Amino acid sequence: MSKSTSTSRSKPVLIISGVALAAALLGLVSYTATKPAGSGGDGGSSTVAEVSADPTAGVYPELEAYARRDASDKLALGRADAPVVLIEYADFKCGYCGKFARDTEPVLVKKYVENGTLRIEWRNFPIFGEESEAAARASWAAGQQGRFWEFHRAAYAEGAKEKGFGAERLAALAAEAGVADLARFARDTDSAAARAAVSADQEQGYSLGATSTPSFLINGRPIAGAQPMETFTAAIDAAAKAAEAAGRKAAGGESAEKPAGGASGGPTAGGESSEKPAAGR
């Protein structure tokens, strides 16, 4: 299996809480490198990595520990104590990440984040080279001034990635996002703190065995690729029901009844998939 990464890292560290889960994770997520049938959204661009996986494979409780639930996290949206956490590993140069950001994420925010059911936690997972790394650091820098999601929206706007992510373009995106102090933004973008934050996100993605973007975790259920809306809503609904059932059980309201939406079952995959980068290994 070739890896769609332009970095020099060769093997993911398949360790979660000190427990090696390589066989389970790699068996769970089936990465492919095929162009989406009938999709012309990116015109066969080699800067798109999107994969499909079968979310019915189940929930892995060990993976729920990947959610940070930090109320001060500037790259997160929604209540820290929301019953469901969606973690997204994405690259600003990834076309299908943009598709998810424009078409799916706003609906999930309105339907689930606003009523307190869902929290979305962003993880920078740059895999397309220097501009991807720079955009990731810039998004973190925008977040330091409370404008991460505005920067995210601007960077994923239709046609934005085709303009590149050079220093001047990143400054323009920051201005568009309403970042107040652009001098500070430039310093933060090039700071050691930004590099460390992006590296931490990146290593977390590698620890999952992720090689393509976008990839997701929903309460320990891996989903790979810009799947149809129904895949995400079914996974979120199942996770919310499981969390509710677990809460009732913890409170003494249930005995041996199995929580709805548990590890056996879940949404059906069948979403789009796309080619890996030409420079992939």
Side-chain angles (χ1 to χ4, degrees):
M1 180 178 69
S2 64
K3 292 185 179 181
S4 59
T5 174
S6 56
T7 71
S8 61
R9 295 178 176 86
S10 58
K11 294 182 180 179
V13 182
L14 291 158
I15 297 174
I16 300 172
S17 301
V19 180
L21 294 175
L25 295 180
L26 294 178
L28 174 66
V29 183
S30 175
Y31 289 100
T32 62
T34 57
K35 188 176 180 180
S39 173
D42 282 277
S45 168
S46 63
T47 59
V48 177
E50 193 272 347
V51 292
S52 65
D54 181 5
T56 64
V59 174
Y60 286 74
E62 297 91 338
L63 301 185
E64 291 193 50
Y66 276 55
R68 292 169 183 161
R69 292 187 176 276
D70 180 357
S72 66
D73 187 351
K74 300 179 186 301
L75 278 61
L77 195 63
R79 289 170 34 187
D81 63 348
V84 183
V85 178
L86 180 154
I87 306 173
E88 178 185 2
Y89 301 86
D91 185 316
F92 284 103
K93 285 180 69 69
C94 164
Y96 279 105
C97 298
K99 177 180 174 64
F100 174 81
R102 292 188 299 272
D103 300 345
T104 305
E105 197 164 46
V107 178
L108 298 182
V109 170
K110 187 169 184 62
K111 183 177 177 67
Y112 297 107
V113 175
E114 290 182 2
N115 70 12
T117 299
L118 180 68
R119 175 177 176 82
I120 298 175
E121 294 188 356
W122 170 269
R123 302 287 188 268
N124 275 303
F125 193 56
I127 61 175
F128 294 119
E130 292 183 6
E131 283 202 352
S132 289
E133 294 269 357
R137 295 196 308 272
S139 74
W140 181 88
Q144 302 317 293
Q145 298 188 51
R147 307 302 288 180
F148 169 78
W149 291 101
E150 291 79 6
F151 182 93
H152 173 278
R153 188 180 306 115
Y156 276 138
E158 194 74 55
K161 77 182 181 70
E162 284 74 18
K163 298 178 182 179
F165 292 115
E168 290 185 5
R169 177 64 181 150
L170 290 173
L173 288 170
E176 182 180 344
V179 173
D181 187 339
L182 293 179
R184 177 191 169 188
F185 167 80
R187 292 193 303 272
D188 285 346
T189 296
D190 288 331
S191 69
R195 294 175 193 280
V198 171
S199 179
D201 286 355
Q202 202 170 35
E203 289 302 330
Q204 190 182 86
Y206 286 134
S207 76
L208 285 170
T211 57
S212 298
T213 53
S215 292
F216 306 88
L217 287 178
I218 298 179
N219 278 21
R221 182 192 299 270
I223 294 177
Q227 299 290 331
M229 176 70 70
E230 293 76 12
T231 298
F232 290 98
T233 57
I236 293 167
D237 289 342
K241 289 178 183 178
E244 182 181 2
R248 288 199 305 268
K249 186 174 181 179
E254 280 190 45
S255 54
E257 186 176 335
K258 185 177 179 182
S264 60
T268 302
E272 298 165 321
S273 61
S274 76
E275 58 196 31
K276 294 183 180 181
R281 293 164 45 197

